[in-house]
Structures are given as structure tokens and as C-alpha cells.
Amino acid sequence: MSCAPCVPKVAQPCSGATLADLEPESIALFRERWARKSGDLRKRDLNDQQTLRDAELLVEGDQVSYAALILFGTRAGLTRWLAQAELVFEYRSSEAAGPAADREEYRAGFFAWQDALWKKINLRNDRQSYQDDFFRMDLPTFDEVPVREAILNAVAHRDYRLGGSIFVRQFAKRLEVVSPGGLPPGITPENIIDQQNPRNRRLAEALGRCGLIERSGQGLNLMMESAVRQGKPLPSFAGTAAHEVRLTLEGGVRNPAFVRFMERLGEETLRSFSTLDYLALECLQQGRPLAPQLLDRLPALAEVGAVETIGRGKTAKYILAAALYASLGSKGTYTRKRGLDHGTNKALLLQHLKDQGEAGAPLSEFRQVLPTLPMKAVQKLLEELRNEGVINVLGQRRWARWYLSDAAVFKPTGNT
């Protein structure tokens, strides 16, 4: 009789389950990966029981835990004791309702089917090619790292008290991973990167021992970084509810030029980036406002040449570096975002004074000439021109008016 309806926590024993319900080949794969990850090759000599005992997957007098079944269970063992610990794969060639074009159920421990599932997804994994001058980019629609991380997250964090299965649905340019149980208490799509509340700690610890999970929460970080590097939309939790988590990976490349720009930064520089660095670049690329934690990353990004600074202090602005706009074929956009250079700004002020002649101009009119600059910046330009002897000022404060000096040599609008 199945004990699935009364499943407590995965770290607890499944009464009645034995080592015969576990697949020796899966345990051997886990043991080998654990030995390599830990650098302790003596683990290869352990028998299955000792391996499970050391990994804390045999509990309370060497009873098989639910976690052991989830990772290493045979099909018969899971069918009897934990039938909901299965994953269902579907391939759909269109959004139309009806039977999937391909469907397969994986009811066995995670180690028995993890590679087979990726091979199934990769069968229909089209490559997207883009030309950038003499450089040709060839990107997979679904990159292996984020796909594996999405599946790992579903297995490690789903709610096994619920009877539903994990579903992986592949479309031509989209992959959906739907797992039973909502996000853990205190976790939202907005804070999921920096907040942790693992639902199945024993599972996460076992996967960490063999190197599949480096640390809690890293999976989503890797998915986001991969999406930014490949010019794809960020992973989405749209549709997530109290009863299920819905994670969507979009495979279409939105911006090939941005992919090229990231490559131009160099692998060494990219390895030094945090997830927040990638997200800051993503926001700048999309023209979205940056949260405070992303704004804090901009000075460091400027140091490595990924972004450029306009102005100083509290009024400083940041844009993506000129190299990106050149690769986009959008040099005009860069000029607009960067603003007019120092010499051109001064020439525009002189042009306005020339047009006003003897009437001169108050400070308010110069603010209209250079509306993107703060008042202090406009005043500084006027003081520079005054020190150069090309303009004069009469009056003080709001009554002050500026005039071209008799000795002024006017230069037309342009860089100086």
C-alpha cells in the first residue's frame, strides 16, 4: 500500500521502503560525482548502504528516506511509495490545445533520467544564426545550463505532499517548467534572487554534495546570467500561483548586437560579473529604470568599460558604452543618450547670445537651450566663457543678463 498520501518531509523515512526500491546504477553515479566534487576518491570504494548513510539519505536506523526515493528510486519503488515524484515531458509544435506531439513520463529517481530528458529537449533545439560584420554567431534556442538548472530547481523545491507531477513543456521558442506547490513563504518572484527558504533542504544538500547545486538560489542566477549573455528575455514566473510554480525560459534572441557586445567585453571580465551586474546591463539595454541595488553596480561596470558616465556626483547618469551602440548601428542613439559634448554646449550658448544681439539673455533662456543639463552645469559653462573673455554679465542673480563681449570671436555650433 502506498504511503504517498501521508508524505511528511523528504528528510523523513518512508515506512516500508527498502534498498530494493533504489536503483544501484543511480547510486553509483551519485557516488562517482560526489567523489570528484569532494576530491575524496576513497568514496568510490563505499558500498551503496554506506554511501546513502554518509549522505544522510538513510535515516532513523537506516530507513530509506523520501529524499533517497526521489533521487534514486526504481520505477516500481516510486509507483508504490511516491508516485507523484515523476516528471512529464511534452513537446508541442503549436499553442493549439489537444494531444502533445511527443510525450514521455519519467517515473524514476532523478539520476536515472536527468541526461535522457536533456537529450529529448535537445532533439528539437534549433540554432539561431546571426551575422555581425565578419563574425557569425550561432546560438541554441535552449542553452543546456539554464534548462538543467530549471529542472533541478523543480525537483529540489517542489512540494512532494501534493499529488501532481512536474511538467516540462517544450515549444519552438519557449520552455515551461511547472512544479506543484507555490513559492515557499516569504519568497516572491521579485526577491527570489537574494532570499532563501529551501523547501526540501535534504534534497538540496544531497545535490550539492555531487556538484549539481553549488549553493541555494544559484540556479536562478545562472538562468538569468545566461539569458542576458545570449540576448534573450529573462526567466519569467508569470502564472505562478499558490498551488504551482511556473517558470518560463524564452529561447528567441532579441538583440544579437548585444550578444556581440557582451563577447567583446571578454570572458575574463564576464567571469567577474555578479548577477546584479548582468541585470543592470539588461535594464540599461531595455531602457528600464534601475532598482537601488542595480544602481550601486554601475560605477564598477564603468571601470571595466561596459557603461559610460555622464556628469558627476548625484547628477551623474549612466549609459551603455559607445561600443555597443556602434555594433547596433545606432550611433545617433548613442549621441542622443550621451548628450552634447562640452565644446558643443558652449558653442550653443554663444549661438544664442549672437542671435539675441544687444538684448542679451537671462539664465532662464540658457536653460531652454540646454534643457538636459542641471542649472549648476549651465552656470559653470557660462563662467568658463566669461573667464575666456567672450561674454560679459550685467546685473546679479535673477536680474542678470549675459552678452557677447566686443572681443568675442564667434565659433559656429560644433565641437571645439
Side-chain angles (χ1 to χ4, degrees), residues 281-356:
L281 293 175
E282 163 74 6
C283 284
L284 289 176
Q285 181 210 173
Q286 294 296 312
R288 296 196 304 266
L290 279 71
Q293 61 180 348
L294 300 184
L295 286 171
D296 291 341
R297 304 303 307 164
L298 295 179
L301 290 171
E303 289 183 7
V304 298
V307 302
E308 293 184 16
T309 312
I310 307 172
R312 297 180 180 178
K314 294 182 179 180
T315 61
K317 297 191 302 182
Y318 293 87
I319 62 171
L320 291 174
L324 171 63
Y325 288 99
S327 67
L328 285 172
S330 304
K331 294 181 180 180
T333 302
Y334 167 76
T335 300
R336 175 175 57 80
K337 288 179 175 288
R338 178 68 178 84
L340 299 168
D341 65 27
H342 192 74
T344 302
N345 286 337
K346 290 167 68 174
L348 282 173
L349 297 179
L350 288 174
Q351 175 71 54
H352 183 68
L353 283 176
K354 180 176 182 290
D355 293 341
Q356 301 311 306

Side-chain angles (χ1 to χ4, degrees), residues 107-352:
R107 183 179 294 178
F110 169 76
F111 278 86
W113 52 257
Q114 57 163 328
D115 289 332
L117 176 57
W118 165 246
K119 291 177 181 177
K120 171 76 76 170
I121 293 169
N122 204 31
L123 284 175
R124 302 180 179 89
N125 191 9
D126 295 335
R127 302 192 72 82
Q128 303 171 60
S129 297
Y130 301 94
Q131 191 76 33
D132 178 18
D133 293 332
F134 297 106
F135 181 82
R136 186 177 182 84
M137 290 180 289
D138 192 26
L139 298 173
T141 298
F142 303 111
D143 189 67
E144 182 175 1
V145 170
V147 169
R148 285 186 178 271
E149 292 294 338
I151 295 166
L152 263 173
N153 275 3
V155 171
H157 302 302
R158 67 152 287 182
D159 192 339
Y160 287 95
R161 296 170 300 177
L162 303 179
S165 305
I166 296 171
F167 276 84
V168 175
R169 298 186 178 97
Q170 182 181 1
F171 298 82
K173 292 287 181 69
R174 185 175 84 253
L175 191 79
E176 297 177 352
V177 181
V178 183
S179 52
L183 294 169
I187 305 299
T188 67
E190 291 72 31
N191 69 14
I192 196 169
I193 292 180
D194 48 31
Q195 297 292 321
Q196 300 179 9
N197 186 8
R199 177 177 278 127
N200 304 308
R201 183 178 295 275
R202 188 63 54 87
L203 268 181
E205 290 172 347
L207 291 168
R209 285 188 170 96
C210 65
L212 290 176
I213 293 180
E214 292 294 334
R215 56 182 171 82
S216 180
Q218 188 194 43
L220 184 59
N221 292 48
L222 292 174
M223 285 183 258
M224 288 189 168
E225 292 171 14
S226 175
V228 175
R229 286 193 64 166
Q230 297 191 2
K232 299 173 182 177
L234 294 176
S236 169
F237 286 93
T240 293
H243 66 286
E244 68 180 18
V245 172
R246 184 178 294 269
L247 174 62
T248 301
L249 301 178
E250 296 286 351
V253 177
R254 293 181 302 182
N255 193 340
F258 185 74
V259 180
R260 182 67 175 127
F261 171 71
M262 295 294 286
E263 291 193 358
R264 286 171 178 163
L265 287 175
E267 196 61 39
E268 183 176 351
T269 297
L270 293 175
R271 279 198 299 269
S272 71
F273 283 3
S274 69
T275 303
L276 295 180
D277 292 326
Y278 282 97
L279 293 178
L281 293 175
E282 163 74 6
C283 284
L284 289 176
Q285 181 210 173
Q286 294 296 312
R288 296 196 304 266
L290 279 71
Q293 61 180 348
L294 300 184
L295 286 171
D296 291 341
R297 304 303 307 164
L298 295 179
L301 290 171
E303 289 183 7
V304 298
V307 302
E308 293 184 16
T309 312
I310 307 172
R312 297 180 180 178
K314 294 182 179 180
T315 61
K317 297 191 302 182
Y318 293 87
I319 62 171
L320 291 174
L324 171 63
Y325 288 99
S327 67
L328 285 172
S330 304
K331 294 181 180 180
T333 302
Y334 167 76
T335 300
R336 175 175 57 80
K337 288 179 175 288
R338 178 68 178 84
L340 299 168
D341 65 27
H342 192 74
T344 302
N345 286 337
K346 290 167 68 174
L348 282 173
L349 297 179
L350 288 174
Q351 175 71 54
H352 183 68

Side-chain angles (χ1 to χ4, degrees), residues 74-91:
T74 63
R75 180 175 179 84
L78 282 180
T79 298
R80 184 178 185 187
W81 304 112
L82 196 61
Q84 63 263 50
E86 72 170 0
L87 182 145
V88 179
F89 169 82
E90 293 182 347
Y91 173 76

Side-chain angles (χ1 to χ4, degrees), residues 4 6-14 59-60 64-68 70 82 158-161 198-203:
C6 59
V7 174
K9 295 182 178 179
V10 299
Q12 296 184 1
C14 177
V59 295
E60 298 182 15
V64 172
S65 66
Y66 285 104
I70 294 165
L82 196 61
R158 67 152 287 182
D159 192 339
Y160 287 95
R161 296 170 300 177
R199 177 177 278 127
N200 304 308
R201 183 178 295 275
R202 188 63 54 87
L203 268 181

